Structures are given as C-alpha cells and as structure tokens.
Amino acid sequence: MDDLKTLLISYEGRINRGRFWKGILVLFAINIALVIINVAIGYLIGGILSTIIGLLSLLIYIASLWPSIVLGIKRFHDRGKPGIWVLIALVPVIGGLWYLIECGFLEGTKGPNQFGPDPLAGA
C-alpha cells in the first residue's frame, strides 16, 4: 500500500513504463467502479440518494486528477524532461497522442539523471 501511495501522491523521482501503466490501471479501475455504482444506484434507487452518490463520485474523480498528473510528471522525469511537460496533454488531439507515446511507450533515460536514479537500475 505504501508503494502505491508513493506512486500516486509524490511527484518526485522517476518511474518506468511498467509502474506508469500500473498506476493508470488503478485509476482506471476506480473510475470504472464509480460509473458502475452511479448507474446501479441511479437505476435501482434514483432520487436524492442518486444525486448524492453522483456528487461524491464527482469529488472522487476530481481527486483522482492529482495522481494522474503525478504519474505523468514522474514519467517525464524518467525521460529527462521537467514535469511541466504534462501540460502537452492539453493541446487538442496531438497533445494527448504525444503524451501517450512519450509516457506510455518510449523508454526512459538510462542511468541517473537530474530527477533521480534509474528506476530499472536494480531490476
């Protein structure tokens, strides 16, 4: 649990592609669970309870934005770039594609860089 918390909360250091995808999968699973809960409660119960659950889900979704940003920052660090590069995802169409390729598929810099030691050094 501590490893997952460090992965999703702290923006310092570097992570490899495997840990990046692990974090993305965790966040994806949380968001899918929220959608399923919202649909089920809306369908089965409805009314004010459905609205309350929807608002709580929205808050959880907003809270999950930080871990998403943290994962990107750490991947850009691994690629030898400053974390501000996560903002490339805001550029319509090409930005999201660039972000996906850069963070999800390209290899990080070998050896230590200004952001820390190579995450694959001991692996």
Side-chain angles (χ1 to χ4, degrees), residues 3 5 20-21 27 29-31 65 81 89 91-92 103 118 120:
D3 184 46
K5 187 166 58 168
F20 172 78
W21 285 112
L27 294 174
I30 289 169
N31 285 308
L65 289 176
K81 297 179 178 178
V91 176
C103 291
D118 188 344
L120 295 176

Side-chain angles (χ1 to χ4, degrees), residues 37-88:
I37 290 169
N38 280 331
V39 169
I41 288 179
Y43 180 74
L44 296 173
I45 299 169
I48 189 73
L49 184 60
S50 178
T51 303
I52 292 170
I53 297 296
L55 289 174
L56 288 174
S57 295
L58 177 63
L59 290 175
I60 293 170
Y61 174 74
I62 290 170
S64 76
L65 289 176
W66 176 252
S68 300
I69 293 167
V70 163
L71 289 170
I73 289 172
K74 288 181 179 184
R75 272 303 292 152
F76 278 111
H77 283 177
D78 191 41
R79 302 262 313 128
K81 297 179 178 178
I84 195 77
W85 272 89
V86 297
L87 296 177
I88 194 74

